[in-house]
Amino acid sequence: MNKPLLSASQLSKHFGGIRAVDRANIVVNQGSITGLIGPNGAGKSTLFNLLSNFITPDSGKVIFDGKAIEKLPPHKIAQRGCVRTFQVPRVLSRLSVLENMLLAPQRQTGENLIQVWFKQGQINKEEHFNRERALEILADVGLSAKANDYAGSLSGGQRKLLEMARAIMAQPKLVLLDEPAAGVNPALIEEICEHIVNWNHQGISFLIIEHNMDVVCDPSRFRDGKA
Ligand SMILES: Nc1ncnc2c1ncn2[C@@H]1O[C@H](COP(=O)(O)OP(=O)(O)O)[C@@H](O)[C@H]1O
Ligand SMILES: [Mg+2]
């Protein structure tokens, strides 16, 4: 199954005199866990920013799921199923862990003021469904006991888990993970790898930037030769 889910061609971005990304090409196949490696400062995070349009590319094309996305704003790209995490996790510290999760589902009926008046039943049903699903995913990643704690009280590794769990909550086709193992203790790294493999078996593809070569190169972790 070598059907491309994401393909970027000739992506470039310079910051003043620095060519952070210079005519980069990348393909992520449907169902794969694809690794992106390179030294510090090589432009990996910038490439993620270009793929998700957090930074506008100087030039280049990005096709996701058969459609050009390089001109779409980041939230539209996420709505199409391409969701990212950040090298330094961005959780909303003053919301609870569960509330962070409940922000992820796209196109919630209750986001629209008029529908708040006329579709209360549907909104309640959706919120109930989202809450159950969020609690299930939090249980999967071992954060159930923290569901009602402020996200700001989590350790660095737990924040990474929450960011990943929140990405999964958005029901993505592809998740872009920027250094999921950086600054995380070895036991938790093992756990994070297991979650990624499990989510992959549920049909979610991954593009992972990682410095830790054990994470990206251990073939026993990622079966089926997919990594
Ligand atoms: N917003 C920015 N403004 C100026 N320079 C930047 C910016 N973002 C990244 N860079 C520079 O681009 C290069 C690539 O950075 P980055 O993509 O973060 O690398 P990596 O993630 O591979 O470590 C570095 O030299 C970095 O200093
Ligand atoms: Mg980086």
Side-chain angles (χ1 to χ4, degrees):
M1 187 172 53
N2 276 348
K3 191 169 163 253
L5 178 59
L6 177 82
S7 62
S9 52
Q10 299 288 305
L11 268 187
S12 295
K13 182 73 191 178
H14 70 273
F15 299 108
I18 300 171
R19 283 174 187 271
V21 174
D22 191 14
R23 288 163 292 169
N25 300 306
I26 187 163
V27 173
V28 179
N29 282 330
Q30 196 110 43
S32 71
I33 299 174
T34 302
L36 176 63
I37 56 174
N40 248 337
K44 304 180 298 298
S45 293
T46 305
L47 181 63
F48 263 31
N49 284 331
L50 299 179
L51 294 174
S52 51
N53 216 359
F54 275 77
I55 295 178
T56 311
D58 295 335
S59 59
K61 288 198 174 310
V62 185
I63 308 279
F64 176 69
D65 206 16
K67 300 216 170 75
I69 58 164
E70 72 272 1
K71 295 207 166 64
L72 294 181
H75 71 281
K76 294 268 180 206
I77 294 175
Q79 279 175 2
R80 289 191 178 201
C82 179
V83 174
R84 64 164 304 172
T85 65
F86 291 88
Q87 189 166 343
V88 178
R90 296 189 183 179
V91 297
L92 293 156
S93 310
R94 303 291 294 273
L95 293 183
S96 74
V97 168
L98 180 59
E99 285 164 340
N100 267 268
M101 293 291 284
L102 294 176
L103 288 176
Q106 307 288 310
R107 297 194 173 100
Q108 299 186 51
T109 310
E111 288 171 14
N112 180 315
L113 195 57
I114 295 172
Q115 306 207 29
V116 170
W117 288 99
F118 295 110
K119 295 203 172 163
Q120 198 55 52
Q122 186 179 331
I123 291 169
N124 288 345
K125 222 187 271 175
E126 236 175 60
E127 288 185 349
H128 177 75
F129 173 82
N130 286 338
R131 200 185 145 81
E132 293 298 304
R133 202 163 160 267
L135 289 170
E136 247 171 59
I137 299 172
L138 287 176
D140 286 347
V141 299
L143 286 178
S144 291
K146 301 273 178 189
N148 295 314
D149 293 3
Y150 282 127
S153 72
L154 298 181
S155 71
Q158 287 171 331
R159 281 174 199 226
K160 293 221 167 204
L161 275 176
L162 173 57
E163 225 197 11
M164 269 181 249
R166 192 173 58 185
I168 298 303
M169 185 71 194
Q171 298 191 296
K173 296 180 177 126
L174 173 67
V175 181
L176 312 177
L177 297 177
D178 196 346
E179 301 208 20
V184 175
N185 74 58
L188 197 50
I189 290 178
E190 275 298 316
E191 218 183 276
I192 285 175
C193 290
E194 275 174 35
H195 296 316
I196 293 171
V197 170
N198 286 338
W199 288 322
N200 180 245
H201 286 161
Q202 292 167 25
I204 300 171
S205 309
F206 287 88
L207 174 60
I208 306 178
I209 293 174
E210 191 45 73
H211 260 162
N212 184 329
M213 296 305 284
D214 286 343
V215 171
V216 279
C217 291
D218 181 350
S220 66
R221 265 188 222 294
F222 302 120
R223 276 154 281 163
D224 314 329
K226 283 177 175 172

